[in-house]
Amino acid sequence: MSSTAYASRRVVLGDLVSTSVVGSAALVVSGAALIGVLAQVAIPLPFTPVPLTGQTLGVLLVAAALGRWRGIAATALYGLAGIAGVPWFSGGASGWKITTFGYIIGFVAAAAVAGGLAERGWDRRPLRALSAMVLANAVILACGTIWLAGALQVSMVRAIELGVLPFLIGDLVKIMLAAGLLPSAWWLVNRVTGRR
């Protein structure tokens, strides 16, 4: 990345690893793989078709660490590979005809939010990181709820009862974890490298 490109936006954590095309591609594939691995951390809930998973934590971390475009690419790769048959959606599912596919669409939109805010430095301070993660998570829940309502042929109120309310506490934990990890990573980078 040229110095003028750096001047137009702040560096994200992924830029410290690589800004080359090959390096960025490796970061995107690694980001998609991390989301796929965390999707396997799934706890089925008997009162909803939506499981509690680690996917959203992966999306928040990957998007903020890689920035907007690489975050979008990583979440899109995760979704497209799953559509193509890679069994790495929650519970080993694949394909787009699953009840929870709206959340996967939401991952891409959330990556734009979290990654874009990280490029503005929102990943460097806990309160700003928390705000960025809350906004990105809200995008995931909105997309997931709309798809869920259509897939189950239920009202939006019922979709919220099934796809949002049971996950608020778990999402808050994941948001707080991501909002703590990112500023901590920047603190460590600054200590090691003397960056400001």
Side-chain angles (χ1 to χ4, degrees):
M1 182 178 289
S2 70
S3 59
T4 54
Y6 274 123
S8 67
R9 76 171 179 86
R10 292 182 79 164
V11 173
V12 294
L13 287 167
D15 294 332
L16 303 178
V17 176
S18 179
T19 58
S20 72
V21 172
V22 173
S24 291
L27 289 171
V28 165
V29 171
S30 298
L34 176 64
I35 297 166
V37 167
L38 289 176
Q40 305 319 304
V41 179
I43 302 169
L45 302 175
F47 48 85
T48 176
V50 183
L52 181 64
T53 73
Q55 282 171 299
T56 51
L57 175 61
V59 169
L60 297 175
L61 290 172
V62 165
L66 299 186
R68 183 177 56 227
W69 294 114
R70 286 180 295 194
I72 289 170
T75 52
L77 176 61
Y78 170 70
L80 291 171
I83 290 170
V86 176
W88 64 354
F89 294 160
S90 62
S94 63
W96 67 271
K97 293 183 179 181
I98 58 174
T99 309
T100 55
F101 192 72
Y103 297 96
I104 295 164
I105 294 169
F107 294 165
V108 180
V113 172
L117 291 173
E119 289 176 0
R120 291 171 176 79
W122 284 42
D123 62 335
R124 297 181 188 219
R125 300 274 184 261
L127 287 179
R128 282 191 141 191
L130 183 68
S131 299
M133 298 307 149
V134 166
L135 290 171
N137 197 74
V139 169
I140 294 169
L141 291 175
C143 293
T145 302
I146 292 166
W147 184 280
L148 193 62
L152 298 178
Q153 296 294 297
V154 298
S155 70
M156 282 301 295
V157 170
R158 183 63 180 144
I160 290 168
E161 291 171 351
L162 293 171
V164 175
L165 298 181
F167 305 99
L168 291 179
I169 293 173
D171 282 355
L172 181 60
V173 170
K174 290 182 269 189
I175 286 167
M176 290 174 60
L177 185 57
L181 285 172
L182 291 161
S184 298
W186 275 114
W187 178 85
L188 184 60
V189 164
N190 292 338
R191 286 288 296 235
V192 170
T193 64
R195 293 173 61 99
R196 290 187 180 242

